């Protein structure tokens, strides 16, 4: 741990009431008092972290100072000063900075693209700041001092609290729109905090209460009083904080047994039976580290997850706690000479800053060994989904009022069910965490001359050119880049690039004007228009003395225009053409004729051929990892991987690319194989294949036998039996007349492949042959058996064969080439990671490229069912349904099984990803549609239902009403009691009742108030259909009873 108190971080020795670190960690902001107003200062973080940077005079420490908060005079230590800034808070996207002060205002700041040339209004004319920040919005609403603020996790709301006893929630997407005013406190509200998933907002007041408000309807959910009954209003702020996992809310200034504590309030039931004890005076501020941490402790077998919390107090000390420990991790006594007023953690979670009433700031830096390893953003979102059914990325603002009592009752029912059981949900990624918070602002059109310059002559023969107005690019208010990077440099409006083409029109006039005298009127004279274009533009700035310019204007030279701006001569030159250079028309791309194309084609053929022979491809060597279901487990350690040779595309008689796979083989004469599937004693069977086990006068014999008991190592599926097992008698044994190169087995059949390209099928229980040996079209490369009586074989030539050896002995797929799915990686090694068979005999192949395919017999083509490197897959916010599925059985979850073998290429993620408010929803819906179609192709009923519910939840979360209506219409069907008799509509899909699925979707729909009318419409129609069907069945039953009575 490192501790530092930078002396240069100061508000002229006046109190600093708030500090906050920017999300990218490159800067931090402080708010407090100034010389004549409330002051906000944005500081460079690099000099704080690095002593070398701190001593570098070229690196600025103060980036910007804003003194815009003005207020009334008030008395402090026998002197009168202006009001102060009580709180500064960065938005989660880092684009905005919010400040609140004693002037009853909340100001929203964002970086300006262009420097203002001087200090902001009220800054006393100070200039020379490294950055310029401007106030984009001023929020009027409070009638008293603003003491604390907090951005919602998705940056859609901003909550502010004040001494006027209220909390105001602002719409950050449409500032200065006000969403709600939360009234209920009877004293000064001094702290506000958001639930990490955006479901609640909490506030703490001097009225000795802490209140929790629901964001669904902005009503009060809980009032907590007991821990604060003994407290007095002796603190300037009461900054409370919510843990990043959402489980705990820690308050400031509570009492327990007459001593000050920080009260821990549990989310479930709002219990208050824990607290942080140790500070000698009232706790003023609490701040949780935004990361969920984990560490491997000796007493536990797996890493323990916990949260980290920092607490500041009026006793001038700071303490850091871990929820996994009973005692504080560290306590810094007498860190300041006055109360600690605010705390802030960096996004990495290793840096902590604190500010005090004494006007100083402290910086504490931890190591990962001290705090623990943080969970990734995806793991954090998965945790939120599992615990609350929603995550930071899926949480969306809802400001709609509930219109029907049925929907309110349904919402309460959903909340109750979620508390009892964690529902199956699709976790979302941080990729949608940073929702764009920029409110739309109309761009003011720039007024100025048209894109031309007027050239005239003076009486002394010199030319005068009226300069053209070049408007600056609009200030879009993009978020600030880390200071010191190329993106943070503020540039002037006028720029010139040597690669851009000038489009300035020069109008030459023949009239003569007096020198240094502006024209009062323009004469109507003929003009000549020339364009200073045709090449790169050069801008040269010379000293005021060198104003003389050659007036020669030869036809071969470029046009020269002199523009006099503020005593500086700017010369715009069009490039000159060299003597040995071709004409301008030679630079135009040449269009080739058909004859030229034919010539190129013949040339390509000649280059491809070498004499009359084609170069034979060379094969590389690579270890092959074979971990498929029911596949051969013994593979030669050094085998040749499948390599596509860089052969040119086929033209006329040119050969196609050659696909060569490694042959199947055993590392020794004896191979031991697992007999897959089964349960109970049948799982304790193993297959042994031993080449040259017996010798006859006609040649060696291969022995195949099955033993009742296995001894398998944990690291490999193949192992050698122990001496005890060797003494056991085999269940059966047979001999083959050729050496075997591989085998695979399940509880029904055993398949042995020999070196003469024959495939032998035996009964697992009796050892009898089920059919004559099959002759493969080429030596085998891989062999596997399916859950039933299906056999898959891949040859070294890349041919795929599938047979059904059950009741119907037939070939399902005959020597289908793997070339279409492997030719996308020319010149690269492509390895088959797994080859599986589904319960219906569909072959699944996963490659080292991160893709998985299935061959469809009906379509006679390969289907792509998984791509780990697909940008749609990576941008989708809901893609982890398989984490909640049991993938131990391929017959139940074939899609999850094959996709579990895929690994995407490594991607370096930034600390905080940019907002993808438009890309995320589209990619999510597209990804889930692809998964649904893959489940249909695989006939995976269980997975289809899970993905269908996930697809509906994605539509609900994104508010896609039109797509959701199409889905609900198909699930609802005809709105009458005889819907099941309809020929155009099926009442089930893949074995699941459509009405039951619709009921589950309606439960999720009830949580989105923007879709409440859609919920009411379909819930009532479904109720009418079910009631009609019930009445019809009862009527039929009564009629049958009457007939029986007759």
């Amino acid at each position: 741990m490192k501790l530092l108190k930078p002396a240069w971080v100061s508000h002229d020795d006046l109190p600093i009431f708030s500090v906050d670190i920017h999300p990218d960690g490159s800067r931090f902001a402080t708010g407090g008092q100034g010389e004549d107003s409330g002051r906000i200062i944005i500081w460079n973080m690099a000099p704080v972290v690095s002593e070398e940077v701190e001593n570098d005079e070229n690196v600025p420490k103060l980036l910007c100072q804003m003194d815009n908060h003005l207020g009334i005079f008030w008395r402090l230590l026998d002197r009168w000063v202006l009001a102060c800034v009580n709180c500064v808070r960065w938005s989660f996207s880092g684009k905005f900075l919010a400040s609140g002060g004693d002037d009853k205002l909340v100001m929203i700041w964002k970086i300006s693209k262009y420097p203002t040339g001087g200090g902001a209004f009220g800054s006393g004319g100070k200039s020379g700041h490294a950055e310029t920040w401007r106030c984009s919005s001023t929020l009027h609403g409070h009638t008293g001092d603003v003491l604390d603020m907090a951005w919602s996790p998705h940056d859609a709301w901003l909550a502010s609290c004040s001494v006027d006893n209220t909390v105001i929630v602002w719409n950050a997407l449409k500032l200065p729109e006000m969403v709600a005013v939360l009234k209920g406190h009877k004293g000064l509200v001094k702290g506000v905090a958001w639930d990490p998933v955006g479901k609640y907002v909490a506030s703490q007041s001097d009225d000795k209460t802490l209140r929790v408000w629901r964001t669904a309807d902005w009503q009060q959910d809980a009032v907590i009083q007991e821990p604060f009954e003994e407290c007095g209003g002796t603190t300037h702020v009461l900054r409370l904080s919510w843990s990043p996992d959402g489980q705990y809310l820690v308050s400031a200034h509570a009492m327990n047994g007459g001593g000050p504590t920080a009260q821990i309030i549990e989310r479930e039931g709002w219990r208050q039976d824990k607290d942080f004890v140790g500070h000698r005076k009232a706790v003023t501020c609490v701040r949780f580290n935004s990361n969920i941490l984990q560490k491997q402790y000796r007493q536990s077998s797996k890493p323990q997850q916990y949260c980290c919390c920092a607490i500041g107090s009026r006793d001038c000390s700071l303490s850091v706690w871990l929820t996994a420990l009973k005692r504080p991790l560290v306590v810094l006594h007498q860190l300041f000479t006055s109360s600690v007023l605010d705390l802030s953690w960096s996004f990495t979670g290793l840096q902590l800053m604190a500010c005090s009433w004494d006007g100083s700031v402290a910086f504490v830096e931890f190591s990962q060994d001290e705090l623990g390893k943080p969970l990734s953003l995806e793991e954090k979102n998965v945790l939120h989904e599992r615990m609350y059914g929603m995550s930071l990325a899926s949480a969306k603002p809802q400001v709609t009022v509930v219109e029907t009592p049925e929907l309110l009752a349904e919402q309460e029912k959903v909340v109750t069910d979620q508390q009892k059981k964690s529902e199956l949900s699709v976790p979302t990624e941080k990729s949608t965490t940073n929702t764009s918070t920029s409110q739309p602002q109309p761009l003011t059109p720039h007024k100025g001359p048209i894109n031309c310059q007027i050239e005239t002559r003076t009486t002394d023969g010199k030319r005068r050119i009226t300069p053209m107005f070049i408007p600056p690019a609009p200030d879009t208010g993009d978020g600030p880049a880390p200071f010191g990077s190329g993106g943070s440099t503020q540039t002037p409006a006028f720029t010139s690039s040597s690669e851009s083409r000038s489009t300035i029109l020069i109008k030459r006039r023949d009239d003569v004007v007096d020198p240094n005298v502006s024209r009062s009127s323009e004469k109507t004279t003929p003009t000549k228009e020339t364009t200073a274009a045709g090449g790169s533009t050069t801008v040269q700035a010379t000293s005021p003395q060198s104003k003389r310019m050659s007036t020669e204007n030869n036809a071969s030279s470029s046009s020269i225009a002199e523009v006099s701006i503020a005593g500086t001569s700017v010369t715009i030159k069009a490039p000159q053409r060299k003597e040995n250079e071709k004409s301008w028309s030679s630079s135009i791309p040449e269009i080739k004729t058909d004859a030229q194309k034919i010539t190129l084609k013949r040339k390509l053929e000649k280059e491809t051929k070498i004499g009359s022979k084609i170069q034979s491809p060379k094969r590389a060597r690579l270890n092959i990892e074979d971990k498929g279901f029911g596949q051969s487990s013994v593979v030669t350690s050094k085998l040749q991987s499948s390599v596509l040779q860089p052969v040119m595309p086929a033209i006329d008689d040119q050969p196609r690319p050659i696909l060569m796979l490694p042959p199947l083989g055993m590392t020794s004469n004896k191979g031991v194989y697992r007999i897959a599937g089964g349960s109970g004693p049948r799982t304790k069977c193993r297959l042994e294949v031993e080449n040259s086990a017996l010798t006859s006068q006609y040649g060696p014999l291969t022995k195949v036998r099955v033993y009742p008991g296995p001894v398998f190592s944990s690291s490999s599926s193949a192992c050698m039996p122990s001496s005890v097992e060797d003494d056991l008698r085999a269940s059966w044994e047979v001999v083959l007349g050729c050496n075997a190169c591989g085998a695979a087995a399940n509880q029904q059949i055993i398949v042995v492949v020999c070196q003469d390209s024959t495939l032998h099928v035996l009964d697992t229980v009796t050892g009898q042959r089920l059919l004559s040996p099959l002759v493969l079209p080429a030596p085998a490369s891989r062999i596997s058996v399916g859950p039933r009586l299906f056999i898959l074989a891949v040859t070294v030539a890349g041919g795929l064969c599938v047979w059904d050896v059950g009741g119907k002995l037939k070939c399902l797929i005959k020597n289908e080439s793997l070339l279409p799915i492997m030719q996308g990686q020319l010149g690269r090694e492509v390895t088959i990671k797994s080859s599986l068979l589904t319960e219906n005999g569909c072959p699944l192949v996963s490659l080292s490229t991160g893709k998985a395919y299935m061959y469809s017999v009906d379509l006679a083509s390969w289907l792509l069912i998984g791509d780990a490197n697909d940008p749609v897959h990576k941008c989708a916010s809901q893609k982890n349904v398989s984490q909640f599925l049991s993938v131990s059985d391929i017959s139940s979850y074939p899609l999850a099984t094959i996709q579990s073998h895929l690994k995407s290429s490594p991607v370096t993620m930034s600390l905080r990803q940019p907002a993808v408010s438009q890309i995320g929803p589209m990619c999510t819906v597209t990804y889930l549609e692809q998964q649904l179609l893959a489940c249909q192709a695989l006939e995976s009923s269980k997975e289809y239902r899970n993905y269908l519910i996930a697809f509906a939840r994605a539509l609900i979360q994104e508010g896609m009403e039109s797509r959701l209506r199409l889905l609900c219409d198909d699930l609802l069907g005809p709105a009458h009691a005889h819907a099941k008799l309809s020929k155009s509509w099926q009442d089930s899909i893949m074995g699941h009742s459509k009405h039951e699925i619709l009921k589950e979707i309606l439960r999720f729909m009830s949580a989105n108030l923007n879709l409440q009318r859609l919920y009411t419409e379909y819930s009532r129609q479904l109720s009418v259909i079910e009631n009609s069907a019930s009445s019809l069945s009862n009527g039929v039953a009564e009629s049958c009873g009457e007939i029986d009575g007759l």
Side-chain angles (χ1 to χ4, degrees):
M1 185 189 76
K2 299 179 182 179
L3 175 62
L4 173 68
K5 293 190 68 176
W8 46 269
V9 178
S10 173
H11 283 218
D12 298 330
D13 297 328
L14 294 174
I16 298 178
F17 289 95
S18 183
V19 63
D20 201 33
I21 303 177
H22 192 273
D24 65 12
S26 66
R27 51 175 68 82
F28 65 96
T30 57
Q33 294 181 8
E35 294 179 355
D36 50 5
S37 63
R39 176 169 296 176
I40 305 167
I41 301 180
I42 299 177
W43 307 87
N44 190 357
M45 192 70 170
V48 179
V49 178
S50 173
E51 183 178 0
E52 180 181 357
V53 177
E54 183 180 12
N55 297 329
D56 189 351
E57 297 180 355
N58 297 324
V59 178
K61 297 180 175 63
L62 189 149
L63 301 182
C64 187
Q65 176 177 316
M66 297 91 79
D67 297 334
N68 295 50
H69 277 277
L70 305 176
I72 61 173
F73 284 93
W74 56 288
R75 192 177 186 88
L76 175 67
L77 300 178
D78 296 330
R79 64 170 178 165
W80 294 91
V81 297
L82 280 174
C84 66
V85 174
N86 295 312
C87 184
V88 288
R89 289 291 181 265
W90 294 102
S91 62
F92 282 84
S93 65
K95 186 175 182 179
F96 298 103
L97 174 67
S99 62
D102 288 353
D103 54 2
K104 311 173 187 177
L105 300 178
V106 174
M107 292 185 178
I108 308 298
W109 304 82
K110 63 181 179 181
I111 196 168
S112 178
K113 191 173 183 179
Y114 308 104
T116 59
F121 177 77
S123 63
K126 296 180 180 180
S127 60
H129 294 162
E131 295 180 346
T132 301
W133 289 74
R134 63 182 181 88
C135 180
S136 61
S137 299
T138 303
L139 311 181
H140 302 266
H142 287 291
T143 59
D145 303 353
V146 179
L147 296 182
D148 197 18
M149 297 177 301
W151 293 88
S152 65
H154 39 64
D155 273 354
W157 296 318
L158 173 66
S160 60
C161 61
S162 170
V163 298
D164 60 6
N165 304 349
T166 65
V167 177
I168 297 181
V169 181
W170 309 88
N171 186 353
L173 303 179
K174 296 180 180 179
L175 292 174
E177 179 181 311
M178 194 181 298
V179 176
V181 179
L182 309 182
K183 299 180 179 180
H185 284 290
K186 300 178 181 179
L188 315 182
V189 186
K190 296 183 176 181
V192 64
W194 287 91
D195 167 25
V197 294
K199 189 175 182 180
Y200 299 107
V201 60
S203 58
Q204 189 172 354
S205 168
D206 268 350
D207 62 1
K208 302 180 182 180
T209 65
L210 186 151
R211 299 174 187 264
V212 181
W213 315 81
R214 296 188 300 268
T215 59
D217 54 4
W218 303 112
Q219 297 300 314
Q220 190 171 275
D221 191 83
V223 180
I224 301 166
Q225 295 179 326
E226 183 179 353
F228 316 106
E229 293 177 351
E230 303 177 12
C231 300
T234 58
T235 60
H236 180 69
V237 289
L238 296 170
R239 304 191 196 276
L240 65 165
S241 181
W242 220 301
S243 63
D245 59 2
Q247 288 290 89
Y248 305 104
L249 173 64
V250 179
S251 73
H253 195 20
M255 299 291 287
N256 186 359
T261 65
Q263 185 65 45
I264 302 175
I265 302 167
E266 296 185 31
R267 185 190 190 100
E268 184 177 357
W270 310 114
R271 297 193 300 268
Q272 315 122 40
D273 53 354
K274 302 181 183 69
D275 50 21
F276 292 117
V277 183
H279 285 281
R280 298 186 299 273
K281 293 185 179 180
V283 174
T284 55
C285 52
V286 179
R287 195 75 175 262
F288 267 98
N289 191 322
S290 60
N291 294 290
I292 301 176
L293 307 171
Q294 64 179 1
K295 183 183 290 187
Q296 181 74 43
Y297 288 98
R298 296 180 179 177
Q299 60 271 20
S300 59
S301 58
K302 59 181 180 179
Q304 183 177 358
Q305 295 181 358
Y306 51 87
C307 301
C308 178
C309 175
I311 299 177
S313 169
R314 290 184 64 242
D315 61 4
C316 312
S317 63
L318 170 68
S319 61
V320 179
W321 302 73
L322 301 180
T323 57
L325 302 178
K326 296 181 180 180
R327 296 182 177 276
L329 179 67
V330 62
V331 179
L332 303 177
H333 295 286
Q334 302 301 321
L335 185 60
F336 302 100
T337 60
S338 188
S339 300
V340 181
L341 295 181
D342 201 5
L343 302 165
S344 178
W345 289 92
S346 65
F347 181 76
T348 60
L350 300 179
Q351 297 171 344
L352 172 66
M353 297 196 76
C355 66
S356 171
W357 194 295
D358 62 10
S360 63
V361 169
F363 172 79
V364 185
E365 186 172 20
F366 298 91
S367 65
Q368 196 172 98
D369 294 336
E370 293 170 335
L371 291 186
K373 181 182 178 182
L375 297 183
S376 65
L377 298 179
E378 184 175 354
E379 292 173 336
K380 189 175 177 181
N381 288 329
V382 169
L383 178 64
H384 287 162
E385 281 281 353
R386 187 174 67 249
M387 297 175 67
Y388 312 117
M390 63 189 302
S391 70
L392 175 65
S394 63
K396 295 187 64 177
Q398 294 184 357
V399 296
T400 311
V401 179
V402 181
E403 298 180 1
T404 59
E406 295 86 354
L407 181 61
L408 184 60
E410 182 65 21
Q411 285 186 336
E412 294 178 353
K413 181 180 178 182
V414 171
V415 172
T416 304
D417 294 342
Q418 289 178 347
Q419 293 177 350
K420 292 181 179 179
K421 180 180 180 181
S422 298
E423 300 185 17
L424 177 64
S425 60
V426 184
T428 60
E429 293 191 64
K430 184 85 176 176
S431 62
T432 56
T433 299
N434 304 324
T435 307
S436 177
T437 58
S438 59
Q439 60 271 22
Q441 295 182 352
L443 297 177
T444 305
H446 297 280
K447 299 180 180 180
I450 60 176
N451 190 18
C452 71
Q453 296 179 153
I454 300 175
E455 178 182 328
T456 57
R457 294 277 181 175
T458 61
T459 55
D460 55 359
K462 293 184 179 181
R463 291 184 299 171
R464 171 175 289 177
I465 294 180
T466 304
M468 183 192 70
F469 173 73
I470 303 178
D475 187 0
T476 56
D478 296 333
F483 184 79
S485 64
S488 63
T489 305
Q490 292 175 333
T491 58
F494 180 80
T495 59
S496 177
S497 172
S498 60
E499 297 180 0
S500 62
R501 298 172 62 89
S502 173
T503 58
I504 302 174
L505 295 177
I506 301 177
K507 293 185 177 181
R508 293 191 176 93
R509 296 180 182 269
D510 295 335
D511 51 342
V512 180
V513 297
D514 296 332
N516 301 326
V517 177
S518 60
R519 294 172 53 86
S520 59
S521 62
E522 294 184 0
K523 299 179 181 180
T524 306
T525 59
T527 62
K528 298 179 181 180
E529 296 187 4
T530 60
T531 303
S536 61
T537 303
T538 305
V539 179
Q540 298 176 347
T542 61
S543 61
Q545 289 80 7
S546 58
K547 295 183 179 179
R548 187 179 62 179
M549 175 180 291
S550 174
T551 57
E552 297 179 359
N553 190 12
N554 299 328
S556 62
S557 64
S558 61
S559 300
I560 302 177
E562 181 183 52
V563 183
S564 179
I565 303 176
T568 303
S569 178
V570 180
T571 304
I572 302 178
K573 295 182 178 180
Q576 298 183 3
R577 184 180 56 185
K578 298 180 180 179
E579 295 181 358
N580 58 352
E581 194 176 359
K582 295 183 179 180
S583 61
W584 295 112
S585 60
S586 63
S587 62
I588 301 176
E590 183 179 357
I591 302 176
K592 298 184 181 297
T593 61
D594 294 338
Q596 291 172 317
K597 294 180 180 178
I598 296 174
T599 303
L600 290 177
K601 176 180 177 182
R602 292 175 179 174
K603 183 178 180 181
L604 179 63
E605 295 177 2
K606 292 180 180 179
E607 292 177 352
T608 306
K609 295 184 179 181
I610 300 178
S612 59
K613 298 181 180 180
I614 304 297
Q615 282 187 327
S616 60
K618 298 181 180 180
R619 291 187 281 180
R621 296 184 177 271
L622 181 69
N623 292 341
I624 298 224
E625 181 179 359
D626 192 342
K627 296 182 180 179
F629 169 85
Q631 300 179 33
S632 171
S633 303
V634 181
V635 185
T636 304
S637 59
K638 293 185 179 180
L639 292 180
Q640 300 160 347
S641 65
S642 58
V643 178
L644 283 176
Q645 305 301 324
V647 182
M648 298 299 296
I651 302 177
D652 296 338
D653 59 346
Q654 291 289 351
R656 296 183 178 273
I658 300 174
L659 179 62
M660 307 186 69
L661 300 178
L664 189 63
M666 297 191 304
T667 56
S668 62
N669 286 337
K670 179 184 289 187
V672 182
Y673 301 87
R674 182 202 312 259
I675 297 183
S679 60
R682 299 194 66 181
T683 60
K684 298 181 179 181
C685 295
R686 74 174 189 274
L687 168 68
E688 284 190 7
V689 179
E690 185 177 359
N691 291 330
S692 302
L694 302 175
T695 303
S696 68
Q697 58 181 341
Y698 302 104
L701 298 176
T702 298
K703 183 181 292 186
V704 180
R705 50 194 170 188
V706 171
Y707 282 95
V711 180
F712 291 102
S713 63
S714 58
S715 60
S716 173
S717 59
C719 63
M720 296 302 297
S722 64
S723 58
V724 178
E725 294 293 338
D726 284 335
D727 297 336
L728 294 177
R729 185 176 181 181
S731 299
W732 55 262
E733 57 183 9
V734 297
V735 293
L736 302 177
C738 182
N739 285 342
C741 57
N746 62 14
Q747 293 296 319
Q748 289 82 31
I749 58 175
I750 293 175
V751 178
V752 181
V753 180
C754 294
Q755 294 178 358
D756 59 355
S757 301
T758 57
L759 187 146
H760 303 261
V761 183
L762 309 174
D763 185 272
T764 304
V765 179
T766 63
Q768 294 180 345
R769 289 182 176 270
L770 299 181
L771 70 162
S772 300
L774 296 174
V775 179
L776 301 177
S781 176
R782 301 176 70 90
I783 186 72
S784 63
V785 294
R788 296 183 182 177
L789 301 179
F790 295 106
I791 303 173
L792 179 147
V794 178
T795 64
V796 294
L800 174 71
C801 302
V802 177
W803 299 275
D804 181 3
V805 295
K808 298 181 180 179
L809 300 177
K810 63 178 182 179
C811 177
L812 302 180
I813 300 176
K814 180 181 178 182
N815 201 25
E816 184 63 35
S817 176
L818 297 176
L819 184 61
I821 65 176
M822 303 179 73
Q823 65 179 357
Q825 301 288 334
L826 289 176
R828 292 182 55 187
E829 296 181 351
V830 181
T831 305
I832 300 178
K833 297 189 64 176
S834 64
S835 54
L836 315 175
L837 281 170
T838 66
E839 191 174 11
N840 299 321
C842 296
L844 305 177
V845 178
S846 65
L847 306 177
S848 59
T849 58
K851 295 183 179 182
Y853 298 89
M854 164 196 165
Y855 186 80
S856 173
V857 178
D858 297 334
L859 300 177
S861 62
W862 289 95
L863 303 180
L864 178 64
I865 60 173
D867 186 358
N869 297 316
D870 185 7
V872 174
H873 170 79
K874 292 187 176 182
C875 292
S877 58
Q878 304 189 11
K879 58 185 180 183
N880 293 322
V881 174
S882 60
Q883 295 184 5
F884 300 95
L885 305 178
S886 173
V887 295
S888 59
D889 185 9
I890 186 176
S891 62
S892 301
Y893 304 102
L895 182 61
T897 302
I898 192 67
Q899 290 184 349
S900 66
H901 298 162
L902 304 182
K903 293 182 180 180
S904 61
S905 58
V907 177
T908 303
M909 299 182 61
S910 59
L911 294 180
R912 190 172 290 273
Q913 296 180 343
V916 288
S917 57
Q918 297 181 352
I919 299 177
M922 293 187 295
C923 291
T924 299
V925 172
T926 302
Y927 168 78
L928 292 176
E929 284 180 331
Q930 293 173 349
Q931 296 296 92
L932 285 173
L933 295 175
C935 292
Q936 284 184 323
L938 295 172
E939 299 181 9
S940 177
S941 175
K942 294 181 180 179
E943 289 179 304
Y944 182 85
R945 178 184 175 89
N946 293 332
Y947 276 110
L948 183 60
I949 297 299
F951 177 68
R953 294 189 65 179
L955 297 179
I956 293 171
Q957 290 174 0
E958 303 301 337
M960 298 182 180
E961 184 173 350
S962 58
R963 299 289 302 272
L964 195 59
R965 185 177 290 275
L966 292 175
L967 176 62
C968 293
D969 286 341
D970 179 67
L971 296 176
L972 182 66
H976 53 77
H978 300 278
K980 294 185 178 181
L981 303 179
S982 175
K983 295 182 179 180
S984 60
W985 179 79
Q986 301 293 331
D987 62 341
S988 63
I989 180 169
M990 297 194 70
H992 301 288
S993 172
K994 289 186 176 181
H995 284 180
E996 294 298 326
I997 296 178
L998 180 59
K999 289 180 182 179
E1000 188 170 352
I1001 293 175
L1002 289 175
R1003 292 180 62 249
F1004 295 114
M1005 195 185 301
S1006 64
N1008 191 338
L1009 299 184
N1010 294 325
L1011 301 174
Q1012 57 180 311
R1013 296 185 179 180
L1014 194 66
Y1015 165 82
T1016 304
E1017 174 186 346
Y1018 284 99
S1019 60
R1020 290 178 178 176
Q1021 290 188 46
L1022 183 61
S1023 177
V1024 170
I1025 293 175
E1026 291 182 343
N1027 293 335
S1028 300
S1030 178
S1031 300
L1032 181 63
S1033 61
N1034 292 336
V1036 171
E1038 292 177 358
S1039 300
C1040 293
E1042 292 177 358
I1043 293 175
D1044 293 340
L1046 293 177

